[in-house]
Structure formats: C-alpha cells, structure tokens
Amino acid sequence: TKVRAIEVELTIKSEKRLEEIVYDLAANKRYSAIWYFLPEHIYPAVVKVIRTLPSDSRKRFALYTLKGEIYATKPATQAR
C-alpha cells in the first residue's frame, strides 16, 4: 500500500520551522510520496529547503499550486 503525505503551506514560516516540517516529512520512510500544496510566493522557500535533502528524499516531493496544478518546473528534484 502506498502512503502519501499531504502538506498544505498557507503562510510563510520561519526558515527553521519550515526545515523542521520538510525534514520530518522526508524522514518518514512510510511516505512513498509527499504532496506539497502552496501558493507561488512560498514556493521558493520550500524548494530551497527541499534542495538540501539527499536526492532519494527530494524525489518523493511533488509541489502543487493551491488549485492542484503541479508547478511546471521541478527544481525540488534537481541536484544542488
């Protein structure tokens, strides 16, 4: 059975809090995928944190707009 985490980010968090959230999601190996829904103005901050993860963790993240559209670029899966 595939288990997906769904995170919705509506407000900008401190960098430390955002790191805690992303790292906790990435550390949970039960999640085969992590779906992150967020507005465009928060996207760069989330991508910045995801890029600090090892590649096997990064590839589990999929970033979506609040309307459910996947972001066109996939910087979260690119190497640092």
Side-chain angles (χ1 to χ4, degrees):
T1 306
K2 291 185 177 186
V3 177
R4 292 173 187 90
I6 297 175
E7 181 72 19
V8 179
E9 202 73 55
L10 298 176
T11 60
I12 294 179
K13 309 276 190 292
S14 71
E15 188 172 345
K16 180 178 169 136
R17 179 66 185 128
L18 189 56
E19 286 174 353
E20 290 171 354
I21 294 167
V22 170
Y23 295 168
D24 285 347
L25 289 167
N28 192 329
K29 299 301 180 190
R30 284 185 37 218
Y31 300 140
S32 60
I34 301 157
W35 295 351
Y36 226 113
F37 293 83
L38 60 158
E40 194 172 328
H41 70 280
I42 298 175
Y43 178 82
V46 173
V47 168
K48 180 181 175 185
V49 175
I50 292 171
R51 284 184 173 169
T52 67
L53 297 169
S55 63
D56 61 321
S57 294
R58 282 194 312 262
K59 68 184 179 184
R60 294 185 303 149
F61 282 82
L63 279 62
Y64 297 89
T65 68
L66 293 178
K67 293 181 179 181
E69 300 162 347
I70 195 153
Y71 279 97
T73 57
K74 303 273 286 179
T77 59
Q78 296 173 356
R80 292 184 237 176

